[in-house]
Amino acid sequence: MLQQEEDVKIDDLQTLTKGERSRETFFKIIDNYLDEPGKQLIMTSSKPVGSFKNIPPRIISELGSGVCTEILPPSYENRVAITWQKCKEQKLKLDQPVVDYIAQKIRYNVRSIEGAVKTLKTLSEVTANRITYNDAVKLLSDLVESDSRYISIETIKEHVAEEYGVTVDSIESAAKNKNVSYARSMAMTLANDLIPNLSFKDIGTAFNKGHSYVHEAIKRTRERICDERDEQNAIYNKLIASLNNS
């Protein structure tokens, strides 16, 4: 039960509004909180509110009456400032080249910057030495690679839709024609391959499908892409290349 005296924050709004029960809960939150004096309702979404389906125009209008802004990855200067702030919080002294390295290499995830600083803090405590540039490069290689390869599930859908000549909406729908089904299964497989720690349940939620559907779709697609003579093999490799370079 949500408490009336607290502000409310909702992440991934585009996912929350897909299921019927989720929509009902969402509408209640809107009705209870949007016009409350002194209250804040903060929502994030990877899609514009106007593109949501199954939401009454009244709710869309009310959402649009708030402050809407696009959240972009922090600039290089901001990443430097964030790194220095995290160093201050951890009481860690780093040289400027090390801070510059972190800010240059970790571009998308502020939490990863914090993780990098904490990692270097642990090394400095263990060795009792000041962290060098080479220490940072060696120790942060996994974080840097993970951040540089960050790909969202929405980006995957967009690339796949373009490749197959279909729409993202059709991939997310219940449509069963061959081209859309291939596109949907390919997008699920790519999400499974390119996004770490993403479960079948997570993928199913993003595509309005159940766990078993995702499992079977990925299994079928893997059988096709393992056959070099199958057209899906070439499409998979082409999409992997384009997504890694996006």
Side-chain angles (χ1 to χ4, degrees):
M1 177 71 68
L2 294 170
Q3 308 230 346
Q4 290 291 327
E5 65 270 22
E6 295 179 351
D7 294 336
V8 177
K9 183 176 184 295
I10 303 171
D11 291 322
D12 298 324
L13 184 60
Q14 77 286 349
T15 299
L16 178 67
T17 57
K18 289 179 179 178
E20 184 176 352
R21 293 184 64 183
S22 296
R23 286 197 300 273
E24 290 176 2
T25 301
F26 171 67
F27 297 153
K28 289 179 182 178
I29 292 173
I30 293 293
D31 289 336
N32 290 337
Y33 284 87
L34 203 58
D35 294 324
E36 286 272 339
K39 307 297 182 183
Q40 291 189 85
L41 181 59
I42 304 168
M43 293 168 283
T44 65
S45 170
S46 61
K47 290 184 176 181
V49 173
S51 69
F52 291 167
K53 295 181 177 180
N54 304 315
I55 297 185
R58 175 181 65 84
I59 298 295
I60 294 293
S61 177
E62 289 182 347
L63 289 174
S65 69
V67 177
C68 300
T69 184
E70 182 179 8
I71 301 176
L72 300 173
S75 66
Y76 170 73
E77 291 76 14
N78 284 338
R79 296 197 301 273
V80 169
I82 290 168
T83 305
W84 281 122
Q85 178 60 34
K86 297 304 178 183
C87 288
K88 182 179 178 181
E89 293 172 3
Q90 294 295 319
K91 297 181 172 56
L92 174 66
K93 293 183 178 180
L94 292 180
D95 295 329
Q96 186 69 50
V98 177
V99 172
D100 290 342
Y101 175 77
I102 294 172
Q104 288 169 358
K105 297 298 184 178
I106 302 180
R107 296 172 292 169
Y108 302 107
N109 194 333
V110 173
R111 290 191 183 95
S112 292
I113 293 178
E114 184 174 17
V117 172
K118 288 181 177 179
T119 299
L120 298 182
K121 169 70 171 177
T122 300
L123 178 64
S124 71
E125 290 176 341
V126 170
T127 63
N129 294 325
R130 196 177 186 91
I131 301 297
T132 67
Y133 180 87
N134 288 336
D135 289 334
V137 172
K138 182 178 180 179
L139 207 57
L140 302 179
S141 59
D142 288 344
L143 268 176
V144 166
E145 181 179 1
S146 174
D147 186 84
S148 65
R149 288 170 58 89
Y150 174 77
I151 298 170
S152 73
I153 201 162
E154 298 303 327
T155 299
I156 290 173
K157 290 178 186 178
E158 290 167 1
H159 278 247
V160 170
E162 182 178 0
E163 177 64 28
Y164 282 84
V166 299
T167 66
V168 171
D169 284 345
S170 68
I171 290 176
E172 295 174 344
S173 74
K176 295 181 180 180
N177 70 70
K178 183 177 178 180
N179 207 36
V180 171
S181 294
Y182 272 17
R184 185 186 299 119
S185 297
M186 181 63 73
M188 289 178 174
T189 304
L190 289 166
N192 184 243
D193 289 349
L194 296 177
I195 305 179
N197 304 318
L198 199 65
S199 69
F200 283 174
K201 181 180 179 181
D202 295 331
I203 296 173
T205 299
F207 289 86
N208 302 313
K209 300 296 181 183
H211 175 280
S212 59
Y213 182 100
V214 175
H215 180 271
E216 289 301 318
I218 292 176
K219 180 182 177 181
R220 289 195 303 270
T221 302
R222 292 212 188 285
E223 291 173 354
R224 297 187 186 105
I225 63 180
C226 284
D227 183 353
E228 294 184 356
R229 297 167 298 177
D230 196 304
E231 182 185 12
Q232 300 305 306
N233 172 277
I235 293 175
Y236 174 84
N237 290 324
K238 179 180 178 181
L239 285 166
I240 284 285
S242 68
L243 285 162
N244 281 332
N245 292 323
S246 62

